[in-house]
């Protein structure tokens, strides 16, 4: 998953094509990747119409900036996102780490149908479809997008382990699982990365998942590190207009008075951004990046954008270091956020911890 990242003020910190961000190991024994990744969802889904030429230019900028973890999923645009990425992947296969996900089942003849499937038969069908759409022989990092608690990890992770042995997948990941679930899955086969929402606004993963990941040597890949645009400062109130095909209009944090209340929480980010000559988006990303030091694990956030300028702006945030006083200003914000992350939180990790 990803964010749209636009801001009215450009940061003074820049990343040039010749100055790449630093690399980190993605989990114990995982690949070396840029310390910030790229969430491709918004190119094909969720945030309205896309300028495909600009989106392809933004993709090229990832490689130039050293943003090498490219994240997609089979559900983004019902496969369209994987297909869109295929030419870019072919041109840069040896330079990037390609991640995709499975678990959401849709039916072309019934737009209202949606199911979560983790059973071995579905996993094999899903991986073959993703390999075909991406036009690759192997997926570098394959995530279980959501958990179906009715399917034991011994079955689902066991099936994923078979894909590793067959050479179709290199590394395994999970998304939106609790700390206990991560430990259970890791006991079946090593998990390289855990992807869940984590931002200044969303910190429920700190209840158990972050600690378990640190304990097991699993990298954490925060999606929506910019709160789906809320932390960029561009959404200012409940009268904010979102296009009819923008899925955020269905999310509680963007509904009614919640958007206005959440926009008011950005005052500390604006103050810190001014001190750094940066944007609020960059400060929010710097906060996520510094969770690595706070919690003792590898953290590779995956903000998304469809513009080269925003890609470079996001990457520049990896060089911003917030002081203890600045971190203290941001500490209470998550407890004041109005509205849940999703209308239905049952498919999230916190939904199973409540």
């Amino acid at each position: 998953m990803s964010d749209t990242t636009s801001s009215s003020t450009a940061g003074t910190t820049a990343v040039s094509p010749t100055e790449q961000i630093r690399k980190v190991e993605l989990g114990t024994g995982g690949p070396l990747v840029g310390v910030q990744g790229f969430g491709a969802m918004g190119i094909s889904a969720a945030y309205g119409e896309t300028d495909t030429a600009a989106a392809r230019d933004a993709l090229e900028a990832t490689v130039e900036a050293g943003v090498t973890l490219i994240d997609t999923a089979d559900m983004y645009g019902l496969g369209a996102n994987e297909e869109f990425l295929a030419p870019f992947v072919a041109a840069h296969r040896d330079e990037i780490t390609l991640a995709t996900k499975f678990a959401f089942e849709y039916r072309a003849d019934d737009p209202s149908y949606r199911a979560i499937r983790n059973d071995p038969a579905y996993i094999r069908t899903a991986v073959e479809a993703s390999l075909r759409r991406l036009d690759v022989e192997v997926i570098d990092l394959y995530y279980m997008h959501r958990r179906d608690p009715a399917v034991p990890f011994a079955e689902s992770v066991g099936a994923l382990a078979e894909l590793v042995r067959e050479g179709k997948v290199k590394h395994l990941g999970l998304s939106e699982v609790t700390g206990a679930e991560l430990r259970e899955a890791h006991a079946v086969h090593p998990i390289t990365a855990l992807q869940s929402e984590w931002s200044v606004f969303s910190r429920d993963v700190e209840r158990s998942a972050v600690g378990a990941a640190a304990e097991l040597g699993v990298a954490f890949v925060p999606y929506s590190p910019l709160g789906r645009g809320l932390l960029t400062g561009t959404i200012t109130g409940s009268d904010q207009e979102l296009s009819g095909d923008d899925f955020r209009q269905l999310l509680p944090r963007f509904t009614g008075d919640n958007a206005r209340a959440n926009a008011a929480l950005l005052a500390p980010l604006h103050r810190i951004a001014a001190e750094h000559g940066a944007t609020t988006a960059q400060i929010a990303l710097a906060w996520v990046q510094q969770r690595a030091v706070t919690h003792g694990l590898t953290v590779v956030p995956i903000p998304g954008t469809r513009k080269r300028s925003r890609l470079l702006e996001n990457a520049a945030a990896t060089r911003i270091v917030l002081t203890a006083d600045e971190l203290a200003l941001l500490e209470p914000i998550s407890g004041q956020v109005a509205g849940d992350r999703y209308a239905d939180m049952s498919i999230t990790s916190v939904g199973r911890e409540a």
Side-chain angles (χ1 to χ4, degrees):
M1 295 191 177
S2 59
D3 291 275
T4 51
T5 62
S6 61
S7 178
S8 58
T9 305
T12 58
T13 307
V15 173
S16 71
T18 58
E19 183 184 10
Q20 296 194 338
I21 64 175
R22 65 186 176 89
K23 287 183 167 56
V24 292
E25 185 179 60
L26 192 69
T28 303
L32 284 178
V33 299
V35 74
Q36 182 182 109
F38 179 78
M41 181 183 78
I43 291 175
S44 305
Y47 297 115
E49 188 176 350
T50 295
D51 180 332
T52 57
R56 291 205 180 280
D57 188 46
L59 278 173
E60 291 298 326
T62 63
V63 176
E64 296 166 14
V67 176
T68 60
L69 177 62
I70 309 299
D71 183 273
T72 183
D74 61 4
M75 73 166 290
Y76 300 161
L78 302 183
N81 198 252
E82 291 180 326
E83 292 173 346
F84 184 91
L85 288 176
F88 169 79
V89 172
H92 300 284
R93 192 65 189 97
D94 295 335
E95 301 168 86
I96 66 169
T97 295
L98 178 62
T100 192
K101 316 178 197 73
F102 78 92
F104 286 98
E105 182 185 37
Y106 291 86
R107 292 177 180 170
D109 60 347
D110 183 1
S112 66
Y113 178 85
R114 186 186 75 172
I116 296 175
R117 291 188 60 180
N118 297 166
D119 57 280
Y122 182 75
I123 290 172
R124 185 154 300 270
T125 298
V127 75
E128 294 295 347
S130 286
L131 288 167
R132 183 177 63 256
R133 286 188 293 263
L134 290 163
D135 194 22
V136 296
E137 295 182 355
V138 59
I139 294 166
D140 300 320
L141 176 60
Y142 198 44
Y143 287 101
M144 177 190 294
H145 205 162
R146 289 293 186 272
R147 172 89 202 277
D148 175 6
V151 181
F153 274 126
E155 294 181 19
S156 52
V157 179
L160 290 168
E162 289 182 10
L163 300 181
V164 175
R165 288 190 291 270
E166 293 171 8
K168 296 179 184 296
V169 170
K170 290 184 180 179
H171 302 279
L172 303 184
L174 300 174
S175 180
E176 289 285 358
V177 298
T178 68
E181 289 170 336
L182 177 59
R183 290 187 180 92
E184 183 182 352
H186 194 76
V188 178
H189 186 279
I191 302 299
T192 296
L194 169 58
Q195 181 178 139
S196 289
E197 186 167 351
W198 198 9
S199 72
V200 172
F201 269 18
S202 301
R203 299 179 60 179
D204 51 72
V205 292
E206 295 174 24
R207 296 184 185 182
S208 69
V210 170
E215 172 191 322
L216 298 171
V218 175
F220 209 103
V221 178
Y223 74 78
S224 295
L226 295 174
R228 300 181 179 83
L230 282 171
L231 290 165
T232 68
T234 58
I235 295 176
T236 59
S238 58
D239 59 345
Q240 173 72 22
E241 291 187 5
L242 299 173
S243 64
D245 53 355
D246 190 318
F247 91 121
R248 290 176 294 182
Q249 64 182 325
L250 304 176
L251 303 180
R253 291 180 180 179
F254 296 82
T255 302
D257 293 334
N258 288 352
R260 184 165 55 251
N262 290 330
L265 298 177
L266 299 186
L269 280 91
H270 285 295
R271 173 180 165 186
I272 296 169
E275 292 172 351
H276 283 267
T279 65
T280 57
Q282 288 176 317
I283 298 306
L285 289 171
W287 180 90
V288 173
Q289 210 78 66
Q290 285 181 238
R291 299 300 90 192
V293 176
T294 302
H295 295 280
L297 78 169
T298 298
V299 176
V300 182
I302 51 169
T305 184
R306 295 176 282 194
K307 296 180 180 179
R308 169 182 285 266
S309 61
R310 298 307 176 199
L311 186 285
L312 297 178
E313 176 186 314
N314 291 345
T318 65
R319 295 186 172 88
I320 297 174
V321 179
L322 303 179
T323 68
D325 287 344
E326 290 168 340
L327 293 172
L329 282 175
L330 302 176
E331 184 65 24
I333 291 177
S334 64
Q336 303 169 36
V337 174
D340 285 331
R341 297 195 273 127
Y342 298 101
D344 178 7
M345 291 288 286
S346 66
I347 61 173
T348 67
S349 58
V350 69
R352 293 191 297 279
E353 287 182 318

